[in-house]
Amino acid sequence: MDFCIPCNPYFPTPEVFERLGQNITTILKYYPSDTDAIAAELSAVLGLKSQTVVMGNGSTELITWIDHLLVHESLAIPIPTFGRWTDQPLETGKRVDMYPLPESQGFSLDVESYVQFIRRRGSRVAVICNPNNPDGGYLPREKVVDLLDRLSDLDLVVVDESFIDFVDAEQNPSVADEAAIRPNVIVLKSLGKNFGLHGIRFGYLVANPALAATVRRRLPKWNLNSFAESVVFMLKEHMREYQDSLRLLAADRRSMFQQLSALPGLTVYPSQGNFLMVKLPQGRDGKALRDHLFSAHNVFVRECGNKLGSSSQFLRLVVRPRQDAQRLVEGIHSYLFSSGNGRAAAAISPVSARRQEPSYQAQNSYETPSAPRQEPSYQARTSYETTSARRTDAYATPASYSKEPAAYLTEPSSVTPTAYLREPPASPSSYQNGASLQNGASYQNGASYQNGASYQNGASYQRDSYAGSSSGQSDPFVVGSDDPRHGRLDPLDSTSRWTFDDNTSPFRAVSPDTPRRPDPSAGRYDSGRP
């Protein structure tokens, strides 16, 4: 059972898949329509102006072109977040200014602190993911607009709204309408994440017409496939089912939050995405839990040890219906509290002092712990038991543990949006001097990170070369640095020379008269055919 890949379990409906199956011959046999025609249909369905919309082969393709065309010097990004926003500019030699989201404040983004960080670092491009991945943290629309106003002098501000459709904290959370009229703002969307159709690869961005045209002109012809076109042209008649699926998923998210919060010692972070991030008790490792769940329960989860600003103590769990979540909870419980695991009791032993952690519920301020501890504990029990009293833990709203799952289609009472959006006036927080980061590096005040030295709070990291360079040196701070895909040709690389003729028939992209180029990897000559 997959709790790793973020999908929508209720959409597409079986009827959508059935129609796709009926048309499979036509979809595979013929070319798709022009990208502009597909974008025009999508714009009509979503109520956008077609000249402000650019569609890509997944949001990752658009991130790549945004980096190549619009990021010239440096980029600021809060971490932990979606890895391509750090990896992509590093691969092209840009400076990436990483702003650590404070764990003590639930990884929430403070606009004032982030703006000061950008000014201090001199970043020319700023990015936020809203809701953020992997924690699901959400910045209300009003605060996002305030951020755009305060960064109007930058080269570019990108708001990645790949998971925005799952937000139920307010009525209209997107700032796509703002992006259409501002000179330096791009809003990024991912249809694959919303619909759970990652294999189709389709995403889009919204920007003012001039900025959108800059990206659109550089995209390859027919960069969208016929499957993507088919889904886009089916959306109009299935939008009601899609909206229903979002309400069902929001109900599952609240239910799954309560189920996980009933596990003593487990921190569950409030989320507005279709996933929840949890933190294991002190001394427990997410890799071991991941392997246990897979081998003993056939459950697959996302361990976050390779995300910058995170560790293997954190896991991202995709929201699924209640009976599926029950299976996950039982698997985690068996790992943490099984009799054969003596370390579990010590890892989650009761503590005399407990601090109030931040949440999106209304409260006056963050409380400071009376005594410093290595890691917070969120329970005061040594065994897994049902309790009728509601604990005051900020991240854990416990529910009774029950073997009989309720019908998952019955939507629980909704969280009051105003209480969710009311954020306490928190004092600025940062990583403490010496707090460990993975791969041997650490956050340190006043230091800089240079090729394996220590990493500082608010520092930047400058790559010396592309991740796919011939140096072959592995960078522990670049997720997937050994991924062979990083060695692909740069589409804007002026050092490689390619010769094409006007023949557009299949398998004839390169003229047969073109001198054959050497293939250094195989010691032979390549004819140039794809």
Side-chain angles (χ1 to χ4, degrees), residues 78 85-86 104 126 139 159 190 231 237 244 263 275 290 321 335 366:
W85 281 117
T86 54
S104 62
L139 194 65
V159 183
S190 172
V231 173
E237 54 190 291
D244 289 342
L263 288 169
F275 48 82
R290 176 198 64 194
Y335 173 76
Y366 294 107

Side-chain angles (χ1 to χ4, degrees), residues 202-418:
F202 57 161
Y204 68 99
L205 64 78
V206 180
N208 75 74
L211 192 55
T214 299
V215 179
R216 188 185 298 113
R217 284 193 298 265
R218 302 305 295 268
L219 291 176
K221 192 74 170 176
W222 285 315
N223 66 321
L224 296 179
N225 59 68
S226 295
F227 275 108
E229 177 185 9
S230 299
V231 173
V232 167
F233 276 85
M234 292 169 61
L235 282 180
K236 185 181 297 183
E237 54 190 291
H238 292 280
M239 284 303 292
R240 181 174 179 177
E241 293 97 319
Y242 177 59
Q243 295 300 328
D244 289 342
S245 77
L246 298 178
R247 286 189 287 270
L248 290 171
L249 193 140
D252 288 342
R253 180 175 60 214
R254 292 190 290 271
S255 174
M256 184 168 162
F257 181 90
Q258 292 177 339
Q259 289 174 280
L260 290 168
S261 298
L263 288 169
L266 192 71
T267 309
V268 188
Y269 295 87
S271 170
Q272 284 285 283
N274 59 340
F275 48 82
L276 295 168
M277 188 171 77
V278 301
K279 182 181 180 182
L280 298 179
Q282 174 67 15
R284 308 318 303 267
D285 182 72
K287 293 180 181 178
L289 173 57
R290 176 198 64 194
D291 296 344
H292 167 79
L293 290 173
F294 185 70
S295 60
H297 299 272
N298 198 27
V299 168
F300 189 39
V301 298
R302 173 66 157 92
E303 173 266 324
C304 297
N306 65 342
K307 279 188 173 289
L308 298 175
S310 181
S311 73
S312 60
Q313 201 175 354
F314 295 88
L315 294 96
R316 186 192 67 191
L317 307 172
V318 169
V319 172
R320 293 185 64 96
R322 184 178 180 86
Q323 64 267 34
D324 295 348
Q326 190 79 10
R327 179 172 167 182
L328 170 69
V329 169
E330 291 172 356
I332 297 176
H333 175 264
S334 69
Y335 173 76
L336 294 178
F337 304 104
S338 63
S339 59
N341 197 336
R343 293 178 299 175
I348 58 171
S349 59
V351 293
S352 57
R354 191 190 319 166
R355 69 178 178 181
Q356 185 75 21
E357 292 291 344
S359 74
Y360 295 107
Q361 313 251 335
Q363 62 185 53
N364 293 329
S365 61
Y366 294 107
E367 296 181 11
T368 304
S370 57
R373 293 177 300 150
Q374 196 168 23
E375 292 290 345
S377 175
Y378 294 88
Q379 50 78 42
R381 302 195 304 274
T382 57
S383 63
Y384 182 64
E385 60 184 15
T386 302
T387 175
S388 59
R390 183 177 297 273
R391 291 175 291 163
T392 59
D393 301 338
Y395 291 125
T397 305
S400 297
Y401 180 76
S402 172
K403 286 287 185 178
E404 294 295 330
Y408 68 89
L409 294 180
T410 301
E411 182 171 347
S413 58
S414 60
V415 179
T416 304
T418 55

Side-chain angles (χ1 to χ4, degrees), residues 440-505:
S442 63
Y443 287 97
Q444 294 184 353
N445 293 324
S448 62
Y449 180 75
Q450 294 291 338
N451 297 327
S454 61
Y455 183 89
Q456 59 172 335
N457 180 20
S460 63
Y461 171 55
Q462 176 71 51
R463 280 188 66 108
D464 295 328
S465 62
Y466 290 83
S469 65
S470 59
S471 63
Q473 296 179 350
S474 176
D475 187 344
F477 270 70
V478 179
V479 178
S481 59
D482 57 348
D483 192 330
R485 292 175 295 179
H486 292 179
R488 288 180 175 175
L489 289 173
D490 184 346
L492 299 184
D493 184 6
S494 60
T495 62
S496 300
R497 306 191 65 178
W498 303 83
T499 305
F500 297 86
D501 62 13
D502 295 329
N503 190 338
T504 59
S505 61

Side-chain angles (χ1 to χ4, degrees), residues 67 71-77 85-86 88-98 117-125 449-450 458-463:
D67 172 55
V71 181
H72 305 296
E73 299 175 6
S74 55
L75 178 146
I77 179 73
W85 281 117
T86 54
Q88 175 59 43
L90 287 173
E91 291 167 9
T92 53
K94 315 294 172 46
R95 191 186 81 224
V96 176
D97 301 326
M98 302 181 192
F117 171 82
I118 291 170
R119 300 305 184 193
R120 188 165 60 250
R121 298 301 308 152
S123 312
R124 295 307 306 160
V125 174
Y449 180 75
Q450 294 291 338
S460 63
Y461 171 55
Q462 176 71 51
R463 280 188 66 108

